[in-house]
Amino acid sequence: MNVQQRTGDGGEALEVWIDQDLCTGDGICAQYAPEVFELDIDGLAYVKGEDDELLQASGAATPVPLPLLTDVVDSAKECPGECIHVRRVSDKVEVFGPDAE
């Protein structure tokens, strides 16, 4: 199953990643979208791969599933650490998050 997200505005596939250096461990992201985010035993949030495994490599990204786009965007907006980044897959331009244009 292809879980890449197509947005309503540009039809671009999106992916999300977390900057663990800025993560405050509040867990808001995991409350909004537990299918995408999870807190690890180190107290920091990570994105999950399609197999539900935590992607712990620095800058690791995962596709944003269509039904979860709103939850992932809300996570980025509400994150106190401003560490959630949603970007286009095609050109890596951030569309939601602290570095969004």
Side-chain angles (χ1 to χ4, degrees):
M1 177 174 82
N2 182 354
V3 295
Q4 285 195 336
Q5 161 61 33
R6 305 285 174 204
T7 65
D9 56 340
E12 296 280 349
L14 299 177
E15 62 187 5
V16 59
W17 67 282
I18 296 176
D19 183 343
Q20 278 78 30
D21 290 338
L22 300 176
C23 181
T24 59
D26 286 85
I28 291 171
C29 56
Q31 291 174 7
Y32 275 108
E35 302 88 348
V36 176
F37 306 106
E38 186 175 317
L39 292 177
D40 198 11
I41 57 172
D42 63 5
L44 301 178
Y46 294 87
V47 294
K48 296 198 275 188
E50 293 184 40
D51 58 0
D52 272 353
E53 187 160 329
L54 296 186
L55 303 179
Q56 295 180 314
S58 180
T62 195
V64 178
L66 174 60
L68 300 176
L69 176 61
T70 299
D71 293 334
V72 170
V73 170
D74 287 345
S75 297
K77 289 179 179 175
E78 298 298 324
C79 177
E82 296 186 346
C83 64
I84 299 172
H85 304 266
V86 181
R87 64 188 177 202
R88 289 192 300 257
V89 172
S90 61
D91 59 7
K92 304 296 187 200
V93 171
E94 188 162 321
V95 292
F96 300 103
D99 299 328
E101 296 179 353

